């Protein structure tokens, strides 16, 4: 991601409220659809909220964008 995208990612991940974090990550994915790490972080939030199907969908997007993503 760009410097600005990485800044937004850090802000989104730093949110204490999972709903706000998810909203910020969703906005980042909309504005930067090729930024694999935004999908990865959103997948983590989905997993923590028990939204496993959504998390898996985001993980699949990560791997489409970056097949070697850990």
């Amino acid at each position: 991601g760009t410097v600005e995208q990485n800044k937004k990612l850090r802000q989104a991940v730093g949110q204490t409220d999972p709903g706000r974090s998810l909203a910020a990550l969703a906005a980042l994915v909309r504005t930067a659809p090729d930024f694999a790490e935004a999908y990865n972080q959103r997948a983590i939030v989905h997993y923590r909220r028990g939204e496993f199907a959504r998390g898996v969908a985001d993980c699949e997007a990560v791997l489409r964008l970056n097949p070697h993503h850990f």
Side-chain angles (χ1 to χ4, degrees), residues 34-49:
D34 295 331
F35 188 19
E37 190 57 27
Y39 289 94
N40 185 56
Q41 292 300 317
R42 191 171 70 171
I44 292 168
V45 175
H46 282 308
Y47 173 79
R48 289 179 178 162
R49 291 170 53 115

Side-chain angles (χ1 to χ4, degrees), residues 3-64:
V3 171
E4 184 63 26
Q5 290 166 349
N6 281 303
K7 178 182 175 185
K8 288 180 180 182
L9 179 69
R10 284 190 305 275
Q11 290 171 340
V13 172
Q15 292 287 329
T16 57
D17 178 84
R20 286 180 184 241
S21 181
L22 192 57
L25 289 165
L28 183 54
V29 164
R30 279 192 304 277
T31 60
D34 295 331
F35 188 19
E37 190 57 27
Y39 289 94
N40 185 56
Q41 292 300 317
R42 191 171 70 171
I44 292 168
V45 175
H46 282 308
Y47 173 79
R48 289 179 178 162
R49 291 170 53 115
E51 299 169 347
F52 303 118
R54 289 179 175 178
V56 168
D58 277 346
C59 287
E60 290 172 345
V62 170
L63 293 174
R64 274 193 308 276

